[in-house]
Every structure is written in C-alpha cells, then in structure tokens.
Amino acid sequence: MVTGRGDSGTLEWKVNIPGGKSETLVPESGFVCRIWRGLRGLVEEFLLKIWRFLEKAWGIGVDEPRKLVHCLKVGLALSAVSLFYYMRPLYDGVGGNAMWAVMTVVVVFEYTVGATLSKSINRTAATFLAGSLGIGIHWVATQSGERFEPIILGFSVFILAAVATFSRFVPSVKARFDYGASIFILTFSLVSVSGYRVEKLIGLAHNRLSTIAIGTSLCIIISMLFCPIWAGDELHSLITRNLEKLSDSLNGCVAEYFHRNGTVVSGGEDCSKKLQGYKCVLNSKATEDSMANFAIWEPAHGNFNFRHPWKQYLKLGASMRYCACCIEALNGCLDTEVEAPEFLKEHLQDVCMILSSCSSNVLKELMITMKTMRRSSKIDFFVGEMNSAVQDLQNGMKSLPTMLSVPPPNTAKGEPGTKTTIPPLMEVLPLATLVSLLIEIAARIEAIVDNIDELAGLAEFKSAKDDKPKQNQSTITPISDNQDHETMTAIQKV
C-alpha cells in the first residue's frame, strides 16, 4: 500500500495488486455532494415515473381511441355550458344558478349513451318530483302557522328521506333508479330547508330545474350525435368475444393436457392468454349487468330495435359462465401431480380431441351467429357432430375397464401363473375427471345453443336463407310446337 499526494493536493491511497496493477482508492465525497446525488436521483426517478405514465396513457389512447373521443366530448359539453357564464344574455336568463348546469354535465356525462340517458332522466325526474313535493309541503307548513311550520318540514324531510333511502335497497329500484333516489333526497332536503328562509321558493325551484334541464340536454345531444358509444353494442360485442374465448380455452386446455409430455403446443404468450380466456367470461357478470341496465334506456339504433330483449343477454351470459366453470375445472387437470398411464391417455386421446374440436366448432358457429345476427344453417349439424363425439367418448370409457389389467412385459398370453398389474385408482382419476368434464361441457354448450336460439327468436334475427346468394338459374330453352309433337310421337312408339 502506497500513499501520496494527488494533483489537487489531497491524500490518495494506492493498493498494489500482484501482477503489476495498482488501484487508487478515492476518498468519500463531501456531505453536500451526497445530498446533491440523492436529490438528482429523486428527480430522475420522478421524471421516469412521469414518462412511464405518459407511455401508458398513450398506449390506452392508441388501443381504445373511443375513450379519447369520450374525453373530447366531455370537454365540448363543458365548453358549451360555460357560455351561460361568459355571455351576458344567457347569464341574465339563467342567473347565477348556471353553476348547476356545469355540475350536471360533470356528474351526468358518462361513457355510453345509455348511461348518460339513465343519469339524465333520473336527475331531471328526481329534481322535478322533489321540487314539486318541496313546494307543496312548504305551502302546507306555512298554512299551519309559525308554531307547526318547522315541525311539519322536519317531519317531512325525515319520512321522505327514510323512504327514498329504503327504496335503494330494492334490487329493481337500485338497478335503474339508484341515482335518482339520491338526487331526490338531496333536492328535497335543499328545497325544504331553503324554503323555510327563502321567500321566492318557486323561483329557486324553477331556476334549479331549468339549469339541470339545460345540462342534461347538452349531454344527451352531444353523446348521441358525436361518435355515439352505445351500451347495447358494447354488451353484444362482449358476449360475442366471450364465446370466442370459451372456444379457444376449451381447445387449448385439452391440447395442453395430451401434449404436455410430448409435443408442446406452440404460441408462447398468445397461447397462454387464449388458454386463460375463460377467466374473462367468469369475471364479466358485473359488466354485463350494468350494460344491460343502461341498454334498456337507449333508443333503437343499428341492428337493435326498440325494446330489444337485453335481459336475454343476461341469461346467455349466465349459461356461458356455467360452461366457463367447467373449463376452469378442466384447466385444473393440467396442474395435477398425478399422471395417468400413457396407454390410457393414448386410448382416449383421439376421442377427447375430437369432442373438444366439435364443441369448439359449435361455440365458434354461435359466435358467428351473434356477430352477424343471422340464424345459422350449420348449427344443427355441428351440434349433431358434438353429440356423436360424446357417444364415441362414452363408448371409449366403457372399454376402459378391459385395459386396466395389463400383463407384465415379456410374458406370454395365457401362460399359467401370469400376474396382471392394475394401475392405482389415483392415477386413473385425473383422466376420468377430464372425460366427465368434457361430457358436461358439451351438455352446457347445448344450453348456450338453446339460449341463443331463444334470443334469435326474440330479437328477430334474420333467417339463414337470407345469407344464401341467389344461385344462377339454369336457362331452359323453350320447346317449339314441332319439337313437342316429335317428343310425344317418340314416347308413343316406345
């Protein structure tokens, strides 16, 4: 170890390493330098988080541009309603209550047209009803004298607020009028309490109702006219995508089970996502319920007529989740630690793969039916194939007991004293579970077929005959009288 002075006059330590190399030990920096490095690290980390956030936001905008369109629509609605403040004629007509219009736009404007209509109608109706009741109860209270006026007002607020709050626990009311009940409680309380001190109660209620009507009207117009996003379309597309995901998951699980010890199914991350597609079906109940409730409020649009059977989509979604539960159990067979004997797997591999393929074909045909909103002319054929595959699999299971007794290797058939080895029951159970799940999945797919057939009848899907192009009719040459006479003569001779 050697000490010496550096160029700056500071003391340096050098360590001689065998081989002719030396390393200089730099003394620790000062306290100020350490603080500077720490602050610089914090700033760099903060800027890195901001950059990652911007990248994520950019990815969301690129993947789902309709969300960006919705943001622009909200900005347009707020800009339009703020004119009631900036323009004197509008301000004089509405007054300082224009802030209620701004608040209405912020609260009411939703992503889909159905959600916007639901909130707008709930808010307007609840405000009108609460304002009318508030004015009526205030008039009754004023006629009762100063002694009973606060008692009547307080009692009315207690009763109506309690009843409106209890109505929110009723499932049918909560699904469609929960927001309206909240606005009713708020508006009635404000009108009643303000009416006890404010003389111009009718003017207050009128201004509040008019500003809310202005805000809700702007929201509905902009939501429906500028790139509308319909809740019905979203629900229909969700059901269609879930059918495809069920098909991919079913095929992927069976193929993975029979190929995991041999040829591995290729696909990487995409294949893994398709394999787990059933999870999206299991987690879609809340989304389906909300979309169906919002779609009821929407007018006729696209291929969806007025009073479209949106509730039938909920029954269809429930039957799809029943099927997804079986596929989830089927996926659990992939993680079992007990392996079935290879000769049993080879015996049932073909029939299991055929049943999986036939079931997947049914789901894909149903997906096409939902996507095009046309009845399928092939669905009966695919269902027949699936049922035939189920029968073949059941026949294969019937022949399984004869294969459980396997002669030991290098022994002649029928040789006296030959012992047979029977596989343990625990090794046979995973394969038997897989087979029973495939049969159950086929039965639940038939339930999906029935639900879609019922939906097609209620929604008046187009017939499958409408899909067939008109075939070119063969041209028939008209027969002349002479040819007709010659033909008849030849027939008579014969």
Side-chain angles (χ1 to χ4, degrees), residues 322-338:
Y322 294 153
C323 183
C325 289
C326 284
I327 297 179
E328 183 178 28
L330 188 68
N331 186 60
C333 296
L334 304 179
D335 300 328
T336 180
E337 297 180 355
V338 181

Side-chain angles (χ1 to χ4, degrees), residues 33-43:
C33 294
R34 290 197 299 270
I35 294 178
W36 168 250
R37 285 199 299 269
L39 291 176
R40 187 175 64 181
L42 291 176
V43 171

Side-chain angles (χ1 to χ4, degrees), residues 145 222 279 444:
I222 294 176
K279 292 184 178 180
R444 298 193 179 188

Side-chain angles (χ1 to χ4, degrees), residues 120-188:
S120 298
I121 295 174
N122 270 274
R123 189 176 181 87
T124 304
T127 302
F128 176 76
L129 181 61
S132 302
L133 286 175
I135 293 174
I137 292 175
H138 176 69
W139 181 82
V140 173
T142 53
Q143 298 298 320
S144 303
E146 296 182 356
R147 181 178 180 181
F148 294 100
E149 182 176 1
I151 298 176
I152 293 175
L153 290 176
F155 185 74
S156 64
V157 171
F158 170 75
I159 292 296
L160 291 177
V163 171
T165 303
F166 179 78
S167 67
R168 299 178 64 186
F169 293 104
V170 180
S172 58
V173 176
K174 184 176 181 60
R176 301 182 63 180
F177 306 107
D178 184 68
Y179 180 70
S182 301
I183 295 300
F184 175 84
I185 297 171
L186 175 63
T187 303
F188 181 79

Side-chain angles (χ1 to χ4, degrees), residues 38-93:
L39 291 176
R40 187 175 64 181
L42 291 176
V43 171
E44 290 177 353
E45 184 179 358
F46 178 71
L47 294 177
L48 183 61
K49 288 183 178 180
I50 293 178
W51 178 255
R52 290 176 179 173
F53 172 78
L54 293 176
E55 284 184 340
K56 187 176 182 180
W58 178 266
I60 293 174
V62 171
D63 295 338
E64 301 182 33
R66 290 189 300 177
K67 292 184 177 180
L68 180 60
V69 172
H70 171 69
C71 299
L72 298 177
K73 287 160 63 176
V74 173
L76 177 62
L78 286 174
S79 299
V81 79
S82 60
L83 294 177
F84 288 92
Y85 266 130
Y86 299 140
M87 299 181 67
R88 176 58 60 181
L90 296 177
Y91 182 84
D92 294 339

Side-chain angles (χ1 to χ4, degrees), residues 343 402-415 418-423:
F343 71 95
T402 60
M403 300 188 60
L404 293 179
S405 298
V406 183
N410 302 325
T411 56
K413 185 177 179 180
E415 181 180 344
T418 300
K419 297 181 180 179
T420 60
T421 59
I422 300 177

Side-chain angles (χ1 to χ4, degrees), residues 226-252:
F226 298 94
C227 300
I229 302 172
W230 303 98
D233 285 339
E234 295 292 313
L235 176 60
H236 191 85
S237 300
L238 176 63
I239 294 294
T240 304
R241 291 194 304 269
N242 285 346
L243 285 170
E244 186 177 9
K245 290 176 181 178
L246 283 179
S247 174
D248 294 336
S249 296
L250 177 58
N251 260 341

